[in-house]
Structures are given as C-alpha cells and as structure tokens.
Amino acid sequence: MTDIHPYQSYYELYNRLEIHEHLAFPMSRSFPRFKEFSQAGPLVIGEWSLTMGNSTKNLEPLPGHEMDLVLRAYAASQLALFEFTSAGWFYWSYLNETKPLWSFRQCVERGWFPSRLAADPA
C-alpha cells in the first residue's frame, strides 16, 4: 500500500499557480501519477486539505460567495481524483477552529464538500 499526502501547498510551484490552475491540477497533473501508483498496489490519500499554495494571494481577495464557489470546485476536483485512483482518503484534521481550510468539520459546515459527505446516514 502506498500512502501519499498531496497538498497543493508548501512548494514554490503551488505558490505560482492561479486559482484556475489549482482547480485543474488534480485531474490534469496529478491523475497520471496517482493512476500509476494505484496500479502498483492500493493507494491511500493519507492527508489532504483545501489549501492552495499561497491561499492569501488566491483566496483572501475574493468576496465570500466567490471563495465558497472556488472551494467547492477545488474539493470536487480533488475528490474526483481520489475516487478514480485511491482506496480511500483522510482529511488532515477533523476540527481546526481557526483555519477552516484544514478542518473537515468546517469544510462540511461551510458547504465546501459535496452534500453526500455531509448527509446524515440515518
């Protein structure tokens, strides 16, 4: 089993990307690599988040409703990649009260994740 942590942050490459490039990156750039990993054996996404390079540059200038749209699209893009290539995933943290991009609970509460993840199983 291979465990990877595909954050789109930390490296200068990600700081240079614009929002539309971050949205496309999972399926256009990561997909071939992840598919190759998954063919060698089960692939697990051990950690990920909705951070995107320099989030201050990319997200803070946006009005709230536009930021919500971008984050919904970004989550959907990453989740599609994981569905096609992995055996499962773990979000970085269940709850981070001060940094919503790092908090699964905050992402669900703010509507950034697809509703099927937020649905009550009952």
Side-chain angles (χ1 to χ4, degrees):
M1 182 171 287
T2 302
D3 169 23
I4 60 174
H5 303 187
Y7 293 109
Q8 282 184 220
S9 15
Y10 303 125
Y11 298 104
E12 187 55 36
L13 160 70
Y14 300 120
N15 289 332
R16 290 191 308 264
L17 297 178
E18 298 296 326
I19 288 174
H20 69 281
E21 294 169 308
H22 277 285
L23 297 179
F25 198 93
M27 294 306 285
S28 66
R29 303 270 302 270
S30 297
F31 182 82
R33 218 169 22 113
F34 283 34
K35 192 70 173 166
E36 184 179 327
F37 290 154
S38 69
Q39 290 171 347
L43 175 66
V44 172
I45 310 306
E47 297 176 10
W48 69 287
S49 76
L50 292 186
T51 58
M52 56 173 67
N54 184 346
S55 293
T56 303
K57 174 191 95 170
N58 284 320
L59 296 173
E60 286 186 8
L62 297 175
H65 69 285
E66 287 182 19
M67 184 175 81
D68 288 342
L69 289 172
V70 165
L71 291 171
R72 279 187 210 124
Y74 187 43
S77 180
Q78 291 188 86
L79 288 166
L81 170 66
F82 304 157
E83 289 290 322
F84 284 119
T85 61
S86 79
W89 54 266
F90 299 90
Y91 202 78
W92 163 248
S93 176
Y94 173 71
L95 180 63
N96 184 318
E97 294 175 350
T98 60
K99 296 181 180 175
L101 298 178
W102 292 96
S103 173
F104 179 80
R105 182 172 164 180
Q106 294 267 348
C107 290
V108 169
E109 289 174 351
R110 292 169 185 240
W112 298 337
F113 278 10
S115 60
R116 69 180 174 83
L117 293 177
D120 184 353

